[in-house]
Amino acid sequence: MRDLKHIEFQEGEFLVATLQGTQLKQSYRFRHKVFAESLHWVPASVDREEVDIYDLWGCTVGAFHTDGTLLGMARLLPSSGPFMLEKDFLALLPSEYTIRKAPDTAEITRLAVDPDIRDAKLSTRTMLAVLKGIYQWAVENEIRYYYLEVEHRFLRALRMLGFPCEPIGPVVKLPPAGASAVAALYDMEKFDERNATQRPDFLQWISTITTVDGAVIAGRNATFNTVGRLDSVESLVGTSGYAGLSR
């Protein structure tokens, strides 16, 4: 397994960081509240923690409010271990599709915002902070491509936000909750290229971080650690034609 680099930065009222120790325990309880108690996508557990085998090699990015409460998170799986898409969500892929398992590829799982948030603006800010954490984790760990499995309606929302997530399979209703889900591929470099012309302020925001010491670092984008360009996303998407947002 490759060693994963951590991130930590301030984003408005949030501290965005990769989680360790007791913070991970907090994320397991958070996941249980979202995915077991609210959405019923996974079975409830006696200890009210949602944990699975992927946590052995996954890395969790969380957005903490100023009071220390975890309000949003995503678990990121490097290609050195299995993706959920390879087993749990294989039904979302066309039969001829080959999953990319290269060092520059990871999977976004367990993406969620606290369902108890009643302030729509706070919920949106939380989601954007988590998405920025996902972006910056990719920069730090030299990731260009992300797989993700999300509700179909959230995929549309991501694309409207400027994230070029390309569907790679059909929309499928998954048990036990029957949510309409789709697998997609997100290309970090395509994100930068599109937003450089269409939403330059958004690209500037997501590629600039403020450290916990107050230092501002700009230019942390998809090419920050990239040595060379790889195959375009079109060659990867195959030949077929706000609570919990990712499976």
Side-chain angles (χ1 to χ4, degrees), residues 49-233:
E49 293 184 0
E50 198 275 305
V51 184
D52 60 30
I53 192 172
Y54 299 99
D55 291 307
L56 294 176
W57 57 87
C59 181
T60 299
V61 171
F64 291 88
H65 203 258
T66 49
D67 63 2
T69 303
L70 180 63
L71 293 185
M73 60 155 288
R75 182 181 62 185
L76 309 172
L77 303 180
S79 60
S80 52
F83 291 157
M84 295 188 77
L85 193 56
E86 293 178 77
K87 182 179 180 182
D88 299 68
F89 302 121
L90 192 59
L92 299 179
L93 291 179
S95 59
E96 73 278 7
Y97 187 83
T98 300
I99 297 174
R100 180 184 179 86
K101 292 301 296 287
D104 68 348
T105 308
E107 183 184 35
I108 302 170
T109 68
R110 296 302 191 255
L111 172 61
V113 168
D114 191 337
D116 291 339
I117 297 176
R118 295 293 175 257
D119 182 339
K121 290 183 179 180
L122 175 59
S123 182
T124 298
R125 292 198 304 272
T126 302
M127 176 49 58
L128 287 172
V130 173
L131 291 173
K132 185 169 182 173
I134 292 171
Y135 183 96
Q136 287 298 324
W137 186 86
V139 172
E140 193 65 32
N141 288 283
E142 301 182 43
I143 300 297
R144 175 175 174 179
Y145 300 104
Y146 273 125
Y147 284 108
L148 64 160
E149 306 85 40
V150 296
E151 286 191 288
H152 188 230
R153 60 182 179 179
F154 183 60
L155 181 66
R156 293 197 299 268
L158 282 174
R159 291 170 65 87
M160 289 177 63
L161 280 172
F163 292 88
C165 300
E166 302 293 340
I168 55 177
V171 178
V172 177
K173 287 193 174 183
L174 295 177
S180 296
V182 63
L185 187 71
Y186 161 34
D187 181 346
M188 291 272 293
E189 289 194 15
K190 178 169 281 189
F191 172 93
D192 286 0
E193 290 169 0
R194 285 190 183 179
N195 285 284
T197 56
Q198 298 176 10
R199 301 182 66 192
D201 290 344
F202 185 60
L203 177 60
Q204 176 68 20
W205 168 77
I206 205 168
S207 63
T208 301
I209 64 169
T210 302
T211 70
V212 293
D213 297 323
V216 176
I217 305 175
R220 286 180 52 87
N221 57 30
T223 60
F224 186 76
N225 286 321
T226 302
V227 176
R229 297 178 63 86
L230 301 178
D231 296 336
S232 66
V233 70

Side-chain angles (χ1 to χ4, degrees), residues 10-30:
Q10 295 290 152
E11 179 53 46
E13 71 262 57
F14 303 104
L15 172 67
V16 180
T18 45
L19 310 189
Q20 304 178 66
T22 58
Q23 293 177 330
L24 279 174
K25 293 282 286 184
Q26 188 176 350
S27 75
Y28 300 152
R29 292 191 294 271
F30 180 92

